[in-house]
Structures are given as C-alpha cells and as structure tokens.
Amino acid sequence: MTVLTHHRYGKAGVRLFTVEHRDDRHEIADLALRIALSGDFEQTYLTGDNSGVLPTDSQRNAVYALAAEHGVRSLEEFGLLLARHFLDNDPSVSSAEIHVRQAPWDRLTEQHSFVKLRDECRFTTVQATRERWSVISGVDGLSLLNSTNSEFRGFRKDVYTTLAETSDRILATHAVAGWRYAGLEHPWDKNFAQARNALMNAFTATYSRSLQQTLYEMGQAVLHACGDVDAVRLRLRNLHHLPAPLAPLGVQPPAGRQIFVATDQPYGLIEGSVARAGAQHLQVGGEPW
Amino acid sequence: MTVLTHHRYGKAGVRLFTVEHRDDRHEIADLALRIALSGDFEQTYLTGDNSGVLPTDSQRNAVYALAAEHGVRSLEEFGLLLARHFLDNDPSVSSAEIHVRQAPWDRLTEQHSFVKLRDECRFTTVQATRERWSVISGVDGLSLLNSTNSEFRGFRKDVYTTLAETSDRILATHAVAGWRYAGLEHPWDKNFAQARNALMNAFTATYSRSLQQTLYEMGQAVLHACGDVDAVRLRLRNLHHLPAPLAPLGVQPPAGRQIFVATDQPYGLIEGSVARAGAQHLQVGGEPW
Amino acid sequence: MTVLTHHRYGKAGVRLFTVEHRDDRHEIADLALRIALSGDFEQTYLTGDNSGVLPTDSQRNAVYALAAEHGVRSLEEFGLLLARHFLDNDPSVSSAEIHVRQAPWDRLTEQHSFVKLRDECRFTTVQATRERWSVISGVDGLSLLNSTNSEFRGFRKDVYTTLAETSDRILATHAVAGWRYAGLEHPWDKNFAQARNALMNAFTATYSRSLQQTLYEMGQAVLHACGDVDAVRLRLRNLHHLPAPLAPLGVQPPAGRQIFVATDQPYGLIEGSVARAGAQHLQVGGEPW
Amino acid sequence: MTVLTHHRYGKAGVRLFTVEHRDDRHEIADLALRIALSGDFEQTYLTGDNSGVLPTDSQRNAVYALAAEHGVRSLEEFGLLLARHFLDNDPSVSSAEIHVRQAPWDRLTEQHSFVKLRDECRFTTVQATRERWSVISGVDGLSLLNSTNSEFRGFRKDVYTTLAETSDRILATHAVAGWRYAGLEHPWDKNFAQARNALMNAFTATYSRSLQQTLYEMGQAVLHACGDVDAVRLRLRNLHHLPAPLAPLGVQPPAGRQIFVATDQPYGLIEGSVARAGAQHLQVGGEPW
C-alpha cells in the first residue's frame, strides 16, 4: 500500500513589471514570483477530483490583480500580501510560500530611464501558515574579490593532501546570503541596503585566514547592521584563482605583477548560519536556521 | 552575542571521467561530484584556526584516488565509498553528503565510441553519519509529453479565475524524480533502469485529469517496479502549450491539425512524495520524505 | 555626416508547436523560429516613419497562420514557405532569412507519447532574395567521444610549447555541423538522417591524428552520403580530458583503468568547410562556404 | 572529388586574471580569450600531418607569457600584442583573430577590493593579416529601459496584423554594440567609456517612434562622441512588456500605476550599422560594416 506523504503545488516564473508615476519620476519593479500552496489537496492526486484545486492560472492572476490594487511597495510587503490573500480566500490552503526575485534596475535619469547592470538579484521568501509567519530576504549572486589580504595555512593534511600553504592568495566568492526577520513589519528596503552594505564591508575589511572566517564576519556584520534580523545564512562559493604555469614557459613577471588562471570548476562551497544567541533554530524552506 | 548555528563545507564541481577496458570494449563514466562535510569545524569560522580543516582540494584528490583504486561501478557505490572514506579518516567529520551526477553517454559502437544525446542526468545523494545512512537516487530533467489524453476540468473558481475548462490538452512536463532506497546494498543500475522506465510508462499510460494525478501514478509505479525503494519524491513542471491565437487571423486549421504556442514562463510546479505505508517520514537534504 | 549602411529586423524566439493526427498516431513538431527581413526600411531608422514597417508581431502571426494552413512537413519546407510569404506579400522586402530550430522529441509510443532528448537540435536557415535562394541545414550540439584511437603527435613546437605528445588520448567533441543543399526540393528528413549518421560514423571510424583530420573525414562523409548537398561546414570543440594528477597521491590504477579530469575551459576550436570540387564559394549568413 | 575550402583553428575559453600592484592600489583584469589562426594548415586536415600545427595549448601559454611580460593595459592593446605575436612567430599563419571579453569588476575600495556586475561585458575583436588590421570593440548585454517616451504607430498592416497602435509603451532592450576603430593607436579605455555613455545617453534622450529610430540615434551618438571610430554596429533586442490582462479580473489600477507582463519570448531583433560617410564598407568577422 502506498500513501501520499507530502505535496504542494503552485505557479512559478510569474513575471510582473510595475510602473508608478510620481509626477515625472517613475518607480519601476521587475519581479519574478513563485507561489506554492499546501493544504487539503489530496483528492486531485489520488482520484483526479479537482473540485478543491484553484488553478495555478488563477494564482498568476492574483499576482496581477493585487499588484494593480495595492502596488508593489517592497518585495516583502508584496509577498506578505499574496500569502495573506491565499490563506484568507481559500480554506483548503494551510500553508503558502511566496518567493519573489527582483531584477536590479538602476536609475539612469531622475525621470524614467533605467539600466540593468547586475546579474545579482534581491529576493524574499514569505512562508505562512495561519499560525506562523516568516520572512527571509537576501541577495543571490553577489560577487566579491580581494586581490590580497587572504591566506590559507595551518590546515590539516591527510594522505591525499597536495595543496601548498599560502600566505597571499586571491579571495573571490559568489555569495548567496539570506537573513531572517524577527517580525513582519520593518523598513524592508532600508534593511536590504544595510544588509548588502554590511556584507560587502565585512568581506572587504576582513583579513581572511579562511573563507569560513570571512563568512562568519559577514554574518555578524548583517546582525550588527540590522536590528530587525535575528539570523543570517550564507552560502559562499570559493572561486579559485590558480597561479598561471609560467615557470615552464621561461618567463617571469616583474615585481608587482601576478598572473592567474581563474577557474569555475571545481569550487569550494562554504555554508554557515549566524544567529543572535537565543534566536529560534528553525527549519525554514528545507534549510536549517 | 552571536552564535554559529549550522555549518558545512566541501568541494563542488569535481569532474571525474573514468575508462575501464574490458578487452576491446570500453566502459566510461562521466561524473560531477559535490562533497559537503559537517562536524567539529567551528574554530576556522570563529578564529581562522584551520588546524582541523582538511582542504577541499584534498577532498577532490580523494575522488581521483578512490576512483583509481576502486573504479566507479555505479554512482551509488562510489558515493557510499566516498562518504565512508571521510567518516573513517577524519574524526572531526560527523556527517558527509556526497552528491553525484552522471552525464548520459550512450554507446555508438560495441568498442569505444559514445554519443551524449540527453540533457537529462542520473544522480545520487548519499547522506551519512556514523549511525545513519541514506541513499537517494533519481533522474533530473526527464522531459515527457502526451499530445492528448489529458484534461483539466471541474476545478475550483475564485474571483480571479479566467481559465477555461478543457477536456483535451497537451500535457508536457520537465520532471525531477528521486527515490529513497531502503538499504545500502542493491543492484543500483538495474533499479535505476526500472525506475526510469516506470516513470515513463506511468506518464504515458495515465489518462490525466490533473498533473497531480499523473504524479501520484508515477510515484506508485516506481514503488511497484522497485522493491528496494520505499519512497519517491517528484517535482513536475507543467509546461503550458497555449492554443495559438488563430481566430483573429482569419485562419482555421483543417481537422486533425492543432497549432500551439509552447511557453517557458510561467509554469505550474507540482510536487509530491509517495511512500510505502509505514515507511519512515524523514527530512533528507532539506526535503520532506 | 553619417549613413545607415546595413540594417534588418524581425522576430526571434517565436515558438510553434504543431500536432497532426494521423488516426491514432500523432506527429508533433516543436520549433523556435527567427525571422529577419532586409529591404526598403530606412525611413523608420532615419525619421521614425513606420509606414513601410510590418510589425514583428505580424511576422509572428504569419508563422501561426501558415502552420495552420499548410502544416509543418519539414523544417526546410516550412522555412521556404515563410521566406516566400514575406517576399511575395511585401514589396519592400528584398531579402528574408528564416532560421528554424527543432527540439528533438522522440516517440515513446506509437500513439501520442514523446520524450525529449534535449542537448542536440536540428536547424535550418533559409536565405532568400527574389533571385537567389539557399538552404543550409544542420545539427547543433552533437556530442561525440572516442575513448581511444586518437593521438596528437609530431606537431610544431615553439618557445611556449609544453604539451607532451600522446599516442592515446580521449577525443571528445561538441559539434555544430551545417550542410548546404544544391537546390530547393529534396527529401529533407531523409537527408538529415543520412547526414547525421554520416557524421557519427565518420567520427567513430576515423583513427584520428588530429581533430582537424577527423573534421575533414566527417565533412567528406556527409558529401558522400547526401548527393543533394554540395558543401559542409563544421565547427568542432575539442573537449580536453586531462589525466588526473595521481602520481602525487601515491596511487596507481590497475591496468585497463584510466582516470581523467574532464574540462570545459579552455577548449580547442577547429573549423573547416568541405565542398565538392566546383561548388560555388559563397558567403552565406556571414560564414564562408 | 572534395576540397577543403576554408579552415581555421585555435583555443577558446582561455581565462586570464592579472593583478598589477601600484603601491597599495591593485589594478585587476579578468579576461576570457578566443584565438583563431588561419593559414597554411591544410595538411593536418587532409592527411593528419601535424608538422605545421602549433598546438592550441601553446596558444594558451602565449597568453600567459605575454601577459606576464607586458601586462594587460587594455583589451585592445593586449589583443593586438597577441595577433602580432602569432603573425611574427609563425610563418604559416596568414591571419589571426583575437577575441577578448572582460568581466566587469568595479572597485569597492581604493586598495584591493572589487565587486562584479556581471550582466554586461566589454569585448574587443582584433583581426589581422600581415597587410590589414582591424580593431572592433564593444559592449555585450547593455540592458536599458525607458518607462515612457516610446510609441509605435503608423505601421504597415497586412492580413495578419493584429497589433494595436500605441502612443505610450515601455521600451526595453538588451543591446550588443560594436564600434570599429579607424586606426591601431587610440586611448582605448577612454573611447570605451565615451562610447558606452553615448549609447546610454542617446537611448535615454530619444523620444522613440520605433526601436529602429533609437538604434540610429545610438549609432550616431557613438560616432559623435568618439572621433577615433568610423562605424558602429548595433543589435537590439526589443524586450516586450505586455499590459497585464486586468479587465477580465475586474480590477483597475489607480491613475499613475501600470501593470505589465515582461516576456523573454518572442522578442523583436533590430540590427543596423551607422558609419561616417566615406568609411569603408567591409565584411569583418562575417558581419557587414
């Protein structure tokens, strides 16, 4: 005998672009959303009875309709609005997860011209049941590099260790950082800017003995900068830059010049969570916090 | 005060390609691996003391060395071998996760020629502590399509529902399927072939009232085909094919011809787990099983 | 003073999916199209006068309408149909280029179930003026590998050469192959199958002294297999597989086992055209034939 | 009888990362290069005789060696240096093409910290024979958006035209722009900055009646800003933003708020070249200039 143990469904890849005219100055938001609803939906799995299933197409329409009525003030507020909408209007829904990603358009003029410079994106994940709500926000794809002030020495050696110790290396990372808010009403955009700055400043200012150490400094910096945040989760790719094989070529760069080969594969992957002492340790979205 | 609550580290994007000569016939394996170790590694985060940290470079070397000594008989066996290696040789390690993906080369000749047809890949994730082991295997990117025998009717309507009911639509999916093995010694390759066939056959044979229903049939089919498996997890993209807007163009296809617009965004996302009654409900890799 | 020297415009990323019912057996086509029109369209560039500009939206509609009326018998026939449509219906158009790519769905059942093998796609480019037509078809992303029967020796050495000669290496390639047809009426699908087989057979059967040599054999094989083709153009990535650095690890594989590191970057890139003696040497689509 | 009509070979995906210490301030360059050499290399295609073939591995080594000896002052200078190297040192080479792409790291501190804005990259293509040299530089992936000041009206209608005229739409583009230099010695970095600014300013300042018109203004602006440039080539994706289907949902946004659906497919593709009157019309790299 088989049983259905877990299930959820929803719409992903929902694109929303909004313009708000404030006299001559336009504000834009360029979002992609993913909605996942859990609840009393077993029958469609087990028998194909769809009578309790709101089409994912209607979920997409809700995005447009709520954006039209309320506007998008911030990712977090809009995510909360959507989660509330599904919980309030569909008694079958016991849990809603709204994931929102924002394309990073920067202003070119004071009026209505924009440039999208960055691959980096801001995101938020709202998870809500009727009893418990959480908001996790973050940045995906923040690429940072220090061309010095990084070493890696004194590590454990085993039978397969061939890596040389180094007291000066390039430290480069592709970072995903998420932070969990302690409540549901905060100045979201201000917190985002503060957290992102804290991440960059900590990376820049840390003399690094390991990327793990830098990770912990980055997490602490977000907690220090954002009183509204009680835990930070970081996932840092260690993007290796290998010294180019110059010796066999019979060439040597002059003092002050270094030649490296940047590589994509393999890469180190360093993960960690930093929390205020006493903050709840939770599973949120399959990740330990 | 801040604390480090969760952490792990390792090497990802490790590429391994092996050739085994069986007389004139060559067997190849083209793998990408990700290793993540948890354990007593706080000091490098907190103080930069690396004395307990085995470099991720040594982890990569272990992949090559163990492949050289033991060969790659199957993804699962090689993943178990690696997990054991890290647990046995490093007392600081309390938990090891090995994720392996295999590029799908097919044989062109009986000797030593191959073609890589598919984007689809086979994967396995081994998770191990000294007490508890789990092996989850699966296929990522299985794309399936039925051009009929699919309907979507009788669903719940809310104030934003505009979707028309349909009794004949295209059902197309990009599937990720994983199955959990009940133990650690099985004919892995045979199980993989049986599970993949079961997924395809169930998709093909099901007259679908919803993609959820098809998901449940696919999960059941894997459990039926593979006695060694006790739970199946599926994540199905519903790839929408919209009728092309022909009416305003004043054209109508002849009977038996249908014209659609395939779309990538947005897409439905249907998730579910199917387990044998009585199988353990676990969190594995952040996912509920 | 500035002048507009070259220009063209059109719609790209047009998705078309067709189903033809032949009793219980369905035939499907899953296409992406790009249309580019050249002609008497200067005014919109110079002054914004759009009176001669057919919207790209109407070009997309033409794809749907012509598919509805005529069906898609083959990529080439449908590309020719579209090119003719634009030349016949818009006197401003002097030249039309239609590029069509087909997703490779394979049949799972005799009726209406399919599986997509996605790494490789068939394409065609039709270029047409009122006087001159050309059809180039091909395959993009054919990945082939021989685990032996490849050497690279006797090459020129310069001051920076450090590569060792080898008499046994892995030869792996990601191939783009295009072939030019001598006329406009051919059994297109049969030619495609023959050309693709010829490419695979020549790659497999050639004892390779360089990927260049293999390229020439592949080109010749297409000309031999397809009497309707008068020139072949190949672009082969040489995907390097480096011996894994086992010696410093103190391990050695048993006889008959080889351990490599597959790499994506850098890669060799070998290009060449093979034509029947006497075939026209043309520029087609910016490429020399 | 078959003949080899065109051929070239080289190394692609060559990664180079350089650091120059100017006291405490570090300058970095993060490049990916592609080298293609043409010349007297038929024998390896026809017979597998490699005696005239410099390995692509040696070409990669030349990149490292020349970077070590000369540094990377600008993409263009380094591309010219490499082209000269191959022409000077290998009499078999008749033509060399060097394509260089630069990852856009921005300075975070005055010393040695950087952040990568990754969607956009600067590139250069140097093409050289012993008689004729050309340098084309540009930017790939400049994404620009005006939320108003764009219309599309007065266009030609055919039988399939359903597009409504609009006097206010979003104009968004993903631009690839290349410009050809009139000679081989210029202040390359200054020209790049001026050209990029000119592109952005022209896009911003143009009241657009068609994306074609905007293209011509952008091309003119580069010629106006950069006296060293004699031709500009532009390839603009027209990224459509469709009004969200609000009417069937019974909602209407307040005045000053607009709701769109951003789409990736299909997209318009507008191409054009703008040159100084009297500049040479050439084929460079398969593109008409």
Side-chain angles (χ1 to χ4, degrees), chain B residues 17 19 26 112, chain C residues 145-153 155 163-172 207-214 238-243 258 260 270, chain D residues 11 44 50 55-56:
Chain B
F17 189 97
V19 183
H26 289 190
H112 43 66
Chain C
L145 183 145
N146 286 332
S147 53
T148 187
N149 281 7
S150 167
E151 57 178 52
F152 189 51
R153 294 190 296 153
F155 45 76
L163 187 73
E165 306 210 332
T166 177
S167 55
D168 188 16
R169 63 171 185 174
I170 287 180
L171 187 69
Y207 183 94
S208 176
R209 289 183 176 78
S210 67
L211 186 52
Q212 285 90 327
Q213 185 197 8
T214 297
N238 193 353
L239 301 174
H240 306 307
H241 289 68
L242 312 176
Q258 294 169 283
F260 297 92
I270 311 297
Chain D
K11 200 73 151 191
T44 184
N50 295 319
T56 60

Side-chain angles (χ1 to χ4, degrees), chain B residues 210-224:
Chain B
S210 67
L211 185 53
Q212 285 91 325
Q213 186 197 8
T214 296
L215 181 149
Y216 191 64
E217 297 295 327
M218 292 169 79
Q220 280 192 307
V222 173
L223 292 175
H224 189 77

Side-chain angles (χ1 to χ4, degrees), chain B residues 15-259:
Chain B
R15 301 282 297 272
L16 172 67
F17 189 97
T18 66
V19 183
E20 296 278 348
H21 302 232
R22 316 228 181 274
D23 300 321
D24 261 8
R25 183 181 168 91
H26 289 190
E27 306 281 353
I28 63 172
D30 187 359
L31 309 182
L33 297 101
R34 188 178 69 227
I35 297 161
L37 305 180
S38 303
D40 185 13
F41 303 117
E42 289 83 0
Q43 284 313 306
T44 184
Y45 288 86
L46 302 179
T47 69
D49 173 353
N50 295 319
S51 56
V53 177
L54 182 72
T56 60
D57 189 72
S58 305
Q59 299 173 15
R60 183 201 59 151
N61 285 345
V63 170
Y64 301 147
L66 293 179
E69 285 178 19
H70 301 274
V72 176
R73 257 178 298 234
S74 70
L75 269 66
E76 289 81 359
E77 217 168 311
F78 192 62
L80 286 164
L81 188 73
L82 277 164
R84 242 173 242 130
H85 169 79
F86 292 114
L87 286 168
D88 286 355
N89 288 282
D90 191 342
S92 304
V93 172
S94 59
S95 164
E97 180 180 298
I98 314 292
H99 181 70
V100 191
R101 302 176 82 79
Q102 182 172 30
W105 290 100
D106 283 340
R107 200 167 270 287
L108 261 180
T109 68
E110 283 307 303
Q111 286 80 49
H112 43 66
S113 296
F114 303 86
V115 60
K116 185 162 66 176
L117 287 178
R118 291 170 277 154
D119 206 23
E120 177 197 327
C121 91
R122 176 178 168 182
F123 68 86
T124 200
T125 304
V126 171
Q127 286 188 307
T129 64
R130 283 189 179 71
E131 295 77 37
R132 193 162 67 80
W133 292 67
S134 79
V135 177
I136 289 167
S137 296
V139 58
D140 190 351
L142 186 59
S143 292
L144 299 166
L145 183 145
N146 286 333
S147 53
T148 188
N149 282 8
S150 167
E151 57 179 52
F152 189 51
R153 294 188 296 153
F155 46 75
R156 198 170 89 79
K157 280 92 183 168
D158 74 357
V159 62
Y160 298 138
T161 299
T162 56
L163 186 73
E165 306 209 332
T166 176
S167 55
D168 188 15
R169 63 171 185 174
I170 286 180
L171 187 70
T173 191
H174 178 273
V176 186
W179 44 90
R180 190 181 63 186
Y181 286 99
L184 302 180
E185 283 187 52
H186 299 294
W188 305 108
D189 292 354
K190 189 177 146 210
N191 272 290
F192 177 80
Q194 286 171 337
R196 186 174 178 273
N197 277 334
L199 292 167
M200 293 196 296
N201 291 339
F203 181 87
T204 298
T206 302
Y207 182 94
S208 176
R209 288 184 176 77
S210 67
L211 185 53
Q212 285 91 325
Q213 186 197 8
T214 296
L215 181 149
Y216 191 64
E217 297 295 327
M218 292 169 79
Q220 280 192 307
V222 173
L223 292 175
H224 189 77
C226 303
D228 300 333
V229 166
D230 72 358
V232 182
R233 191 167 168 74
L234 289 149
R235 190 181 168 91
L236 304 183
R237 287 194 182 201
N238 194 353
L239 302 173
H240 306 306
H241 290 68
L242 312 175
L246 295 177
L249 309 181
V251 294
Q252 202 183 337
R257 178 178 298 153
Q258 294 170 282
I259 309 294

Side-chain angles (χ1 to χ4, degrees), chain A residues 120-132:
Chain A
E120 178 196 326
C121 92
R122 175 178 169 183
F123 69 85
T124 199
T125 304
V126 172
Q127 286 188 306
T129 64
R130 285 190 176 72
E131 296 77 39
R132 192 162 67 80

Side-chain angles (χ1 to χ4, degrees), chain C residues 9-250:
Chain C
Y9 86 109
K11 201 71 148 193
V14 178
R15 301 283 297 272
L16 172 67
F17 189 97
T18 65
V19 183
E20 296 277 349
H21 302 231
R22 316 228 181 274
D23 300 321
D24 261 8
R25 183 183 169 91
H26 288 191
E27 306 282 352
I28 63 172
D30 187 358
L31 308 183
L33 297 100
R34 188 178 68 227
I35 298 161
L37 305 181
S38 304
D40 185 13
F41 302 117
E42 289 83 1
Q43 283 313 307
T44 184
Y45 289 86
L46 302 180
T47 68
D49 173 353
N50 295 319
S51 57
V53 176
L54 181 72
T56 60
D57 188 72
S58 305
Q59 299 172 15
R60 184 200 59 151
N61 286 345
V63 170
Y64 301 147
L66 293 178
E69 286 179 19
H70 302 274
V72 175
R73 258 179 297 235
S74 70
L75 268 66
E76 289 82 359
E77 218 168 310
F78 192 61
L80 286 164
L81 188 73
L82 277 163
R84 240 173 243 129
H85 169 79
F86 292 114
L87 285 168
D88 286 356
N89 288 281
D90 191 342
S92 304
V93 173
S94 60
S95 164
E97 180 180 300
I98 313 294
H99 181 71
V100 191
R101 301 176 82 80
Q102 182 172 28
W105 290 99
D106 280 347
R107 199 166 271 286
L108 263 178
T109 68
E110 284 307 303
Q111 286 80 48
H112 43 67
S113 296
F114 303 86
V115 60
K116 183 156 61 171
L117 309 168
R118 288 182 311 146
D119 238 16
E120 178 194 327
C121 92
R122 176 178 168 183
F123 68 85
T124 199
T125 303
V126 171
Q127 286 188 307
T129 63
R130 284 188 179 72
E131 295 77 37
R132 192 162 67 81
W133 293 68
S134 80
V135 177
I136 289 167
S137 296
V139 58
D140 190 353
L142 186 59
S143 292
L144 299 166
L145 183 145
N146 286 332
S147 53
T148 187
N149 281 7
S150 167
E151 57 178 52
F152 189 51
R153 294 190 296 153
F155 45 76
R156 198 169 90 78
K157 281 91 184 168
D158 74 357
V159 62
Y160 298 138
T161 299
T162 56
L163 187 73
E165 306 210 332
T166 177
S167 55
D168 188 16
R169 63 171 185 174
I170 287 180
L171 187 69
T173 192
H174 179 275
V176 186
W179 44 90
R180 189 181 64 186
Y181 285 100
L184 302 180
E185 283 187 53
H186 299 294
W188 305 108
D189 292 354
K190 189 177 146 210
N191 271 290
F192 177 79
Q194 286 171 336
R196 186 174 177 276
N197 276 335
L199 291 168
M200 293 197 295
N201 291 339
F203 181 86
T204 298
T206 302
Y207 183 94
S208 176
R209 289 183 176 78
S210 67
L211 186 52
Q212 285 90 327
Q213 185 197 8
T214 297
L215 180 149
Y216 190 65
E217 296 296 327
M218 293 168 79
Q220 280 192 307
V222 174
L223 292 176
H224 188 78
C226 304
D228 299 335
V229 166
D230 71 359
V232 182
R233 191 167 168 74
L234 288 150
R235 190 182 169 91
L236 303 183
R237 288 194 181 202
N238 193 353
L239 301 174
H240 306 307
H241 289 68
L242 312 176
L246 296 177
L249 309 181

